[in-house]
Amino acid sequence: MSDIKWLPDGQKTFEKLMAAVPDAMRDTMRPKLLQMLSGKAAGQPVSKKIVEDWVKEDLPEPQRSALMAALGIKDPKAKKEQPVAATAGWDGDSENMFERMLQEVPDMMREVFRGKLMGIANQKAAGGPIKEDHIVEIVKEIVPDPFKTNILKAFATMGGVDLTKVEAVIEANPGGEEVVINILHAVQEEFGYVPKEALVLISQKKEIFLSKLYRLVTAYAAFRIEEPGKHIITLCDGTSCHVKGGNAILKEVEAKVAGNGADVTVEKVRCLGCCDLSPAVMIDGEIYTGADAQAKLAVILN
Ligand code: FES
């Protein structure tokens, strides 16, 4: 908003706050937040204090707490207000859905959101277990787009996983936390990804917090948490491939998939380990180069 007059510390604080807003939302949120801040400042130059007071006093939860944390403002009520567990437990797939919802929150704000959203879920449950409908309501009421759409889409595709296969993998890997990575690899091998239902079962059987398992599978590029498409195209973003035209292949594949919605999963890696063949593409686990890669991609994408 052009009518805002900044003091240097005010602008710096605002930019720090914007850095905490997820990338996909930043451009949409900036004018809205500036408009709110302009109202708060009421014509005064915006100082650090005005930005901080606006965050503390005017923003709704859970954004208030998350942005206070991003600005390093201590919230004296935070401990009292942040339950960390479902008061009367979970019903159906609700815990799994809760964790899936949190995956859309940037890492630095996830734990603040966890406490706040858990509080809201417990309120909705009114003393009973948190149900799947409560989580869906929270997503619909609180989460902005595009995250809302992503989460609801992910909820719709949950289920349908043969848990006896997961149980067999768990049984084949006796032990505690030290065997979890092996289990996750075996589950991904079995299903092509690590379904949320599998994470819940591993969490129960190995007595490991579900949130910890989610952190693990989302931190390692080797794991997928969404069901892959019919074909998996792994494009190399490494230097050797890049200088030999890999970037053009990457753009072409992305444009085609965006254009025709082909049932494929596109992944990027830093190196496929065959730089002497670059630019290289991996399709369903096989390496292709040159005309072979083009021909195979044409069959899959056209
Ligand atoms: S950089 Fe592409 S295979 Fe190594």
Side-chain angles (χ1 to χ4, degrees), residues 240-251:
S240 178
C241 285
H242 187 84
V243 297
K244 291 184 186 165
N247 200 35
I249 301 176
L250 201 144
K251 283 192 174 147

Side-chain angles (χ1 to χ4, degrees), residues 61-62 83 115-125 138 141-142:
E61 290 291 4
K116 292 290 165 190
L117 294 173
M118 189 73 82
I120 296 168
N122 277 327
Q123 254 174 26
K124 283 188 180 288
I138 292 173
E141 289 165 11
I142 294 178

Side-chain angles (χ1 to χ4, degrees), residues 180-246:
V180 160
I181 290 283
N182 293 347
I183 291 175
L184 293 172
H185 278 296
V187 168
Q188 176 148 303
E189 185 80 28
E190 178 68 45
F191 295 94
Y193 72 117
V194 184
K196 288 61 170 204
E197 295 83 352
L199 290 179
V200 172
L201 193 60
I202 298 166
S203 159
Q204 288 163 354
K205 298 268 180 186
K206 294 294 183 191
E207 297 183 346
I208 297 168
F209 285 122
L210 188 57
S211 53
K212 192 168 182 180
L213 290 177
Y214 267 99
R215 274 198 290 274
L216 204 60
V217 290
T218 49
Y220 287 97
F223 296 120
R224 276 180 223 110
I225 58 165
E226 303 293 348
E227 188 169 5
K230 193 169 162 207
H231 297 284
I232 299 173
I233 301 175
T234 310
L235 298 163
C236 182
D237 203 15
T239 311
S240 178
C241 285
H242 187 84
V243 297
K244 291 184 186 165

